Amino acid sequence: MESRWSEADAADFVRRYADQGVAEDLALRVYSSRLLGADPRLVQHGGGNTSLKTSARDVFGAEVPVLCVKGSGWDLGDIEPPGLPAVRLEPLLALRRLETLSDEAMVDAQRGALISSAAPNPSVETLLHAWVAPRYVDHTHANAVLALSDQPDGEAICRDLYGARMALAPYCMPGFQLAKLAADVFETHPGAEGMILLKHGVFTWGETAREAYERMIAVVTAAEQRLSAARPPPARAAASRAGLAEAAPAIRGALAQAGDGRVVLDHRGGEANLAFAVGAEALRYAQAGPVTPDHVIRIKPWPLILPPPDTASDYGAAVRAALADYAARYRAYFERHDARAEPRKRMLDPWPRWALVPGLGLFGIGASRKEAAVAADVAQTNVEVIAAAERLGRFESISEADLFDMEYWSLEQAKLGQARRPALAGAVAAVTGGGGTIGAAIARAFAAQGAAVAVLDLDLAAAETAARAAGGGLALACDVTNPADVLAAFDRIAETFGGLDILVSNAGAAFTGVIGEVDDAVLRRSFELNFFAHQHCAQAALRILKRQGAGGSLLFNVSKQAVNPGPGFGPYGLAKAALLALVRQYAVDHGPDGVRANAVNADRIRSGLLTDEMVAERARARGLSERDYLAGNLLGREVSAEDVAQAFVSLALAESSTGAVLTVDGGNIAAALR
Ligand code: ZN
């Protein structure tokens, strides 16, 4: 591992922050924290922490010694000075006299010593940072060091490699006791450049930011070299996506049926994951526990281990059986350790955060695309470290009792937050014609309710813009009138999110002509887009919904023309009338599968279908202002794309409605359904 320290960049940080009144030592603390946070081989997703001993002015203007230490909720990769709140050092040092200190009292004491009451909670490792003397202290969960220390003889391996350069401390639960142990180890090893906490991670320190950082890089590099001298990696497995689009919905559907709601899957193939999944001893090493205790809150004590996908049999049933075993094992683990917990704990959900599948690799599991990605990232790190540890010797995690204490430690659980689950959390929605005004509004509305969104459009750039506005959805170029294109797009959705729950079949275009004179070709083109394309998309969606076996929702953008034809709109209205019949047929034929089919009947909304020029022309023809034309309805209200989008969301949430049409036109009795 190369040092990424650059004197030019460091000077740049110092200059930039000086303008904001930030002192040089803190600016350099921010700089080197970001260097650590930028490398996933060192820390991931809020892991690790750093500190600086400096001084700050109190209310009397007097200089007081403080510890600037990472605040909870901040990530080292993009930390700013407010993410390193200043805590008065003296009260922190005084705490060392105590024999014991409860977690709550420790948090209170740390908060009470903050210079600013608006600061975030200082790291749970604050006391450790305070009690080792050097000015700069860096802490990571470096993969290479974990691979060495997560061994039955990890202590001997580390002592042999590092000698007196690094102090070694046995595993100990983070918090007050670990801080005491580390302070004792620091004082009995005066020449050490840092300390390895076996089966947890590594600390380095120094009088300058650069010294502490480069000591970290040197320690990790030595570990990497030791590992590369170990036995070569086992036989390689070929990268494969075969069967992913079929298997992922079966896994996702089983999780939705057994678990606490729908989830998004994040698939990671790749050689290392595939080889890990098929290793002769995979059942042992994959279930031995996480590589550092911090990970247990992200990925639970073990993954869900599934059999290889088998399209000839009911793979969903095999997944459900594995899930039932997983939950039973988790409950037994909880009960075993809760019996000695004081006070007793409340069991967290017993469902896995990642799955290991021979032939496919691994899947991160989460209530959102982001949560699934975090689980997959952490799982990936576990695969890499465990594989490296197995090449060297035999992977060993902390004991199951220590793991339980960590998973149920209130200070760790606080990191996850108590956010309420949005109505469509874990759901996956696909929106066709998603690049247009109405489609983009629909994509945003579903994303706002927590759904992962796929935006399909003929125009990829428009789809990408809409997907970005929907919080980073999947953008796909798709000609919905081409069945092969549609099937390929829906396979991509299943591969990306693990499946699908909601189709918003929205793509359409107005075709006009007086019916007694219109060319057949116009009528056929309208039917291709305004009828058959909906059928292609619904069939492709249904194929995924059936693999999941967990119901779903098909939503269609019908038009006022379907029930209240306008002159000259025959080619459009006839296809839309057929579409309305299609909606009802889906409701009839697939209600028994738990699949609902509903439609929105919208009218007079500025969009690709009703352009600004068309609005101007029609208003002029009727002798109205544009506003009076658009608001020419019972409510006297201009209907927006957002109103249409909300109607689709409402139908997606209406669990007992199928075959229904929701009208969004401000009120037009002539177009009312009867
Ligand atoms: Zn740590």
Side-chain angles (χ1 to χ4, degrees):
M1 181 171 284
E2 300 261 301
S3 166
R4 299 192 198 185
W5 186 278
S6 146
E7 283 299 339
D9 289 352
D12 210 47
F13 266 72
V14 171
R15 230 183 349 262
R16 187 141 45 93
Y17 283 114
D19 295 343
Q20 303 171 23
V22 174
E24 177 173 345
D25 56 358
L26 183 56
L28 292 171
R29 175 68 288 174
V30 171
Y31 171 59
S32 73
S33 298
R34 289 205 196 168
L35 290 181
L36 297 171
D39 194 331
R41 294 170 299 174
L42 294 174
V43 292
Q44 274 191 310
H45 299 300
N49 40 62
T50 57
S51 68
L52 160 70
K53 293 175 190 75
T54 182
S55 62
R57 282 191 193 282
D58 69 8
V59 285
F60 302 105
E63 292 267 325
V64 290
V66 294
L67 178 77
C68 291
V69 63
K70 196 190 95 164
S72 75
W74 284 84
D75 192 286
L76 290 182
D78 56 10
I79 202 159
E80 295 282 350
L84 290 152
V87 197
R88 287 166 195 273
L89 202 47
E90 255 171 42
L92 297 183
L93 296 175
L95 290 173
R96 203 175 156 195
R97 291 201 300 274
L98 297 174
E99 268 312 302
T100 58
L101 182 64
S102 75
D103 294 332
E104 291 71 23
M106 182 177 81
V107 172
D108 284 347
Q110 288 172 185
R111 273 214 75 82
L114 281 168
I115 294 286
S116 164
S117 64
N121 270 345
S123 160
V124 296
E125 327 249 39
T126 293
L127 295 181
L128 190 158
H129 283 268
W131 295 349
V132 299
R135 290 189 72 208
Y136 286 86
V137 178
D138 295 7
H139 170 48
T140 72
H141 304 141
N143 288 4
V145 176
L146 289 173
L148 296 185
S149 84
D150 290 11
Q151 300 274 345
D153 55 350
E155 186 173 355
I157 295 170
C158 292
R159 194 179 315 272
D160 179 54
L161 180 64
Y162 296 114
R165 208 169 115 204
M166 295 295 286
L168 302 180
Y171 177 78
C172 168
M173 171 97 169
F176 186 75
Q177 292 306 330
L178 174 60
K180 285 208 123 186
L181 173 69
D184 291 346
V185 170
F186 171 76
E187 282 160 7
T188 49
H189 296 76
E193 297 172 3
M195 173 175 57
I196 290 171
L197 296 177
L198 298 167
K199 297 180 178 172
H200 173 146
V202 53
F203 283 82
T204 54
W205 42 68
E207 286 311 307
T208 65
R210 182 170 185 166
E211 185 177 48
Y213 168 75
E214 290 195 332
R215 282 176 171 175
M216 179 66 73
I217 301 303
V219 167
V220 175
T221 304
E224 285 175 343
Q225 284 163 354
R226 174 74 182 80
L227 288 169
S228 66
R231 282 185 291 128
R236 294 172 148 202
S240 155
R241 284 172 84 87
L244 177 59
E246 292 85 54
I251 297 169
R252 183 170 180 269
L255 281 161
Q257 289 168 54
D260 289 340
R262 297 182 188 276
V263 290
V264 175
L265 302 184
D266 187 332
H267 173 251
R268 305 288 169 94
E271 222 170 70
N273 296 336
L274 289 158
F276 185 85
V278 298
E281 296 187 61
L283 285 179
R284 169 184 59 78
Y285 60 63
Q287 301 188 91
V291 299
T292 184
D294 207 38
H295 287 178
V296 74
I297 58 163
R298 304 277 182 202
I299 57 168
K300 294 264 174 194
W302 336 274
L304 171 69
I305 298 191
L306 293 175
D310 175 5
T311 42
S313 71
D314 184 354
Y315 190 53
V319 178
R320 285 194 297 278
L323 269 172
D325 287 349
Y326 185 97
R329 181 180 174 192
Y330 187 87
R331 286 195 183 91
Y333 149 84
F334 175 81
E335 278 155 22
R336 228 172 8 255
H337 298 289
D338 183 49
R340 61 174 175 80
E342 191 56 57
R344 299 295 281 268
K345 308 288 185 183
R346 207 164 50 111
M347 196 181 85
L348 300 164
D349 74 83
W351 307 113
R353 297 296 187 272
W354 68 294
L356 195 58
V357 188
L360 287 181
L362 68 85
F363 292 88
I365 303 167
S368 64
R369 192 179 190 189
K370 183 160 177 260
E371 254 184 49
V374 169
D377 286 347
V378 175
Q380 178 90 55
T381 291
N382 275 259
V383 164
E384 284 162 19
V385 172
I386 294 170
E390 289 282 316
R391 287 198 287 278
L392 184 76
R394 187 166 163 276
F395 170 69
E396 194 178 79
S397 182
I398 57 175
S399 75
E400 193 186 86
D402 285 332
L403 204 54
F404 176 87
D405 288 345
M406 198 65 192
E407 186 178 5
Y408 282 86
W409 189 24
S410 55
L411 301 188
E412 279 294 287
Q413 288 300 329
K415 284 187 190 169
L416 296 178
Q418 304 299 322
R420 213 172 55 85
R421 204 178 145 96
L424 291 175
V428 178
V431 183
T432 72
T437 310
I438 293 176
I442 296 169
R444 286 195 305 274
F446 277 86
Q449 294 294 331
V453 177
V455 178
L456 285 66
D457 202 285
L458 203 50
D459 176 353
L460 181 60
E464 283 169 345
T465 304
R468 264 195 305 278
L474 170 69
L476 293 170
C478 180
D479 173 2
V480 287
T481 63
N482 176 340
D485 222 27
V486 169
L487 280 180
F490 280 74
D491 275 355
R492 278 292 310 284
I493 295 169
E495 289 168 1
T496 305
F497 298 123
L500 179 74
D501 306 294
I502 301 158
L503 164 67
V504 185
S505 193
N506 165 68
F511 291 82
T512 54
V514 176
I515 200 65
E517 299 159 8
V518 73
D519 197 297
D520 266 8
V522 175
L523 213 48
R524 285 183 199 283
R525 278 213 306 282
S526 179
F527 267 83
E528 278 302 332
L529 180 57
N530 293 317
F531 175 76
F532 280 105
H534 292 279
Q535 165 67 349
H536 302 325
C537 292
Q539 280 196 336
L542 197 71
R543 196 168 69 150
I544 300 175
L545 298 183
K546 288 203 132 187
R547 281 177 188 145
Q548 289 173 167
S553 178
L554 304 176
L555 299 167
F556 300 86
N557 197 345
V558 173
S559 161
K560 168 244 177 198
Q561 296 296 331
V563 288
N564 177 222
F569 275 87
Y572 181 57
L574 288 166
K576 287 291 192 178
L579 173 60
L580 179 56
L582 183 77
V583 175
R584 292 172 168 166
Q585 199 63 45
Y586 267 99
V588 169
D589 286 351
H590 296 288
D593 302 321
V595 175
R596 298 182 294 113
N598 294 293
V600 166
N601 166 26
D603 192 29
R604 260 186 229 187
I605 296 125
R606 272 187 206 270
S607 67
L609 280 175
L610 180 61
T611 60
D612 290 346
E613 298 81 70
M614 289 161 75
V615 170
E617 186 194 312
R618 290 184 194 182
R620 210 173 28 247
R622 289 168 172 79
L624 295 171
S625 71
E626 287 188 21
R627 202 233 153 242
D628 283 347
Y629 166 68
L630 287 170
N633 53 47
L634 296 176
L635 295 174
R637 178 191 158 87
E638 194 175 329
V639 182
S640 69
E642 282 69 29
D643 294 327
V644 179
Q646 278 315 314
F648 278 113
V649 168
S650 304
L651 287 170
L653 293 172
E655 293 291 346
S656 298
S657 295
T658 192
V661 182
L662 183 48
T663 300
V664 188
D665 60 2
N668 173 1
I669 244 12
L673 286 145
R674 65 192 99 171

